[in-house]
Amino acid sequence: MIKPILAQITSYLSIGCIAFLVLSCTNDPNANKDHLVFRYNEYANINTLDPAFSRTLQDNSVCNQLFNGLVQLDDELNILPCIAKNWSVSENGLTYTFNLRNDVDFHKHELFGKDSTRTVNASDFEYSLNRLKNPKIAAPGSWVLNKVDDFKAVNDTIFEINLTQPFPAFIGLLTMKYCSVVPKEIVEHYGSDFRAHPIGTGPFKFKRWEENIKLVFRKNENYFEIDENGTQLPYLEAVALTFLPDKQSEFLQFVQGNLDFLNSLDTSYKDELLTADGQLRNKYTKTINMIRGPYLNTEYLGFYLDSDKPEIQSELIRKAINYGFDRKKMMVYLRNGIGNPANGGFIPIGLPGYDESIGFSYQPEKAKQLVEKFKKESGITKPEITLVTTSNYLSFCEFIQRELEKAGLTINVDVMPEATLRSGRSNGKVDMFRSSWIADYLDAENYLSIFYSKNFAPKGSNYFHYKSDRFDSLYNKAFTITGIEKRKHLYKTMDSLAMDKAIMVPLYYDEVIRFTQKNVTGLGINPINLLDLRYVKKEKTN
């Protein structure tokens, strides 16, 4: 068994050589630039290079290198121009008019004909959004257009979108990779295989993808964005990804200098890398940079309320779990203080609507009382629940398992692959599951949509099958209010309704933590943890 594993690791670790060959075998006069290849590992793997299907953080990060949309986010999550150089919104909040740049070209492809490329125009956005909402395509990102009435290319450089009702957060939705522009002739040529033959406008262009093994991008020499000094972006020559699924092996490759970037913190190496209070250990301060900051990500446990198990249906048990473990202790011992205990609701710290008063504190005696009350009322003397997780979060689930055992509740922990858990969660096949919610756009409505009854999974993200007429009414009302203070009050009320029924167990509000080699600069950090490699530089090392 050892030899196949070693062979697999050797295959993964050859990425530097692969990237070098990619650069060297193209008759490129600047080919000897292997030090300008940015190397990182994506342990969770990726599913697609088609932005219309880019639903995970990993997919978004790779698509962010290949595609652009009308607008984009900076590291402070301000909405900035991208292919649209400016835009305006009508007084009634229904019509958005975008004025496009006329100097943005698609990546080269022989299907474009003589020049092997062409300039993006408004009709390309019309095609891309029509494709996104096409039910035959069944793109998971179609929901971003739910409040769109119609859209059209007024001419080559003016694109107009009309909403069915005012929605102040709409411009933020357009920053999502779902809304990237794609070329009709390439997409229709490849069909569903566009996922592995992407052509966009981004800072890097697709070179090679061997699924589960390696992915290589090359610099887009015709990219339209420049830095503050007028230098064309990006600075790197190439990006090379591996897909080694083991986080400990990923960490070892990073500390040995075979990877430039580490975007995770795992229990297998957290104490080796960080002190108990979350500082980089002295042995690594000369070779590694660490940056950390707020992350709009709530980690949680969810309950499928349509389960036939009495324990899942019981509000008593669901609240007992919320009261029955110390979130602060969990963060200290399992995360070295990286992240904040989720003693509030589902809305994370940093978004209007967050309220620390509506969550659950650590009350072990109350947890015991609730479990005993359930036993007495139900006649079930040994209440038992199965919690499904992935291996990366096993330590958290085992911590909760041990704590709740003290309250008289047995929690069995079942480990599944990410894809299996995702499918089971969407289709109501798991009663209790670990999951997370990362902000798609900067409005708490994004978080609260998970409780809206019309979003029942598998068609939407309401994995709990929670239904409340009052919640639905407030959710719909929020779209009619443009003032953030009034919306914030509604958001708090909605969050408290869900928490009062204990349909989930918020664990912690995460932090982004990134590690790079010392010769890497320009890698920023943002609260949605989206990877942006446009400004990254690598110095040559001896």
Side-chain angles (χ1 to χ4, degrees), residues 198 219 272 277 319 345 405 410 466:
K219 177 178 182 176
E272 163 69 17
D277 60 352
K319 286 185 174 180
E405 191 175 353
T410 298
Y466 168 71

Side-chain angles (χ1 to χ4, degrees), residues 137-153:
I137 299 294
S142 61
W143 63 268
V144 304
L145 302 177
N146 283 351
K147 289 182 171 53
V148 172
D149 183 25
D150 61 59
F151 44 81
K152 63 181 179 180

Side-chain angles (χ1 to χ4, degrees), residues 79 96 166-174 441-443 445 487 491:
I79 299 171
Y96 290 69
F167 182 28
F170 177 68
I171 193 69
L173 285 179
L174 295 179
Y441 51 93
L442 301 184
D443 194 284
E445 181 273 333
R487 284 212 317 280
Y491 291 160

Side-chain angles (χ1 to χ4, degrees), residues 148-163:
V148 172
D149 183 25
D150 61 59
F151 44 81
K152 63 181 179 180
V154 178
N155 56 39
D156 280 353
T157 59
I158 298 178
F159 185 63
E160 185 178 279
I161 301 177
N162 295 293
L163 305 186

Side-chain angles (χ1 to χ4, degrees), residues 43-63:
Y43 76 91
N45 218 320
I46 61 170
N47 305 295
T48 183
L49 297 175
D50 183 342
F53 291 83
S54 181
R55 63 188 305 173
T56 68
L57 177 63
Q58 296 79 26
D59 293 345
N60 280 332
S61 285
V62 292
C63 284

